[in-house]
Amino acid sequence: MSANAETPEFFATPGYGDTQLENMRYHQAVRIGDRVEISGQGGWDDELNFPESLEEEIVRAFDNVERTLATAGAGWPDVISVDSFHVPTEPDEIGIAHNRVMVEQFRRRMGERAPIWTEIGVPSLGAPGMRVEIKVTALLGADRAGRAAG
């Protein structure tokens, strides 16, 4: 931790994050005090390849969020806000497959604790073939903070 809790600390996720820092000049996460913000995480592997299956891509994106949070000293229990970006599979909505897997992953990784969530349909994302990107904000100790009643 920095000497000053308000001093930003930047993190590159080992593997793909190191590659992105070198080639694209951005970090995967920043921590300021107890708050962690991450850049959008896709369902790539360390060589930035994407699976054919949409479900597997979404699960990998959640895995990459987890890896990136861990790099900055946080985890899914600390997540308070999620923004997800989706290339729609239906003409007038994001698609049930996206929603089903997203909700399954929220339940698997966060249990009954629910973050706020904004889901956005987009025509394309940052890499060819990419169909989902997930960005989160975490507050360390959020799992111990007050919980909503309902």
Side-chain angles (χ1 to χ4, degrees), residues 1 11 31 35 45 47 50 58 81 89 93 99 135 141:
M1 186 79 191
F11 301 88
R31 179 173 171 174
R35 186 180 185 94
D45 61 18
E47 288 75 42
F50 294 91
I58 294 171
S81 177
T89 54
E93 65 177 304
N99 290 332
K135 178 184 181 305

Side-chain angles (χ1 to χ4, degrees), residues 33-113:
D34 289 341
R35 186 180 185 94
V36 175
E37 300 273 350
I38 70 167
S39 64
Q41 301 297 301
W44 49 65
D45 61 18
D46 280 342
E47 288 75 42
L48 300 175
N49 299 308
F50 294 91
E52 287 187 33
S53 157
L54 173 63
E55 181 169 349
E56 186 179 343
E57 184 175 342
I58 294 171
V59 171
R60 273 197 203 171
F62 271 80
D63 290 343
N64 288 337
V65 166
E66 189 168 308
R67 287 175 64 186
T68 300
L69 286 168
T71 300
W76 275 107
D78 301 307
V79 171
I80 59 171
S81 177
V82 176
D83 292 329
S84 61
F85 305 87
H86 306 262
V87 175
T89 54
E90 302 295 329
D92 60 351
E93 65 177 304
I94 288 171
I96 195 162
H98 285 272
N99 290 332
R100 177 184 56 78
V101 180
M102 291 291 295
V103 171
E104 286 171 1
Q105 291 301 303
F106 283 145
R107 284 199 172 109
R108 180 174 161 249
R109 294 167 194 263
M110 298 184 75
E112 292 303 312
R113 200 172 148 280

Side-chain angles (χ1 to χ4, degrees), residues 2 14 28 32 35 54 106 118 122:
S2 297
Q28 299 297 312
I32 304 171
R35 186 180 185 94
L54 173 63
F106 283 145
T118 300
V122 297

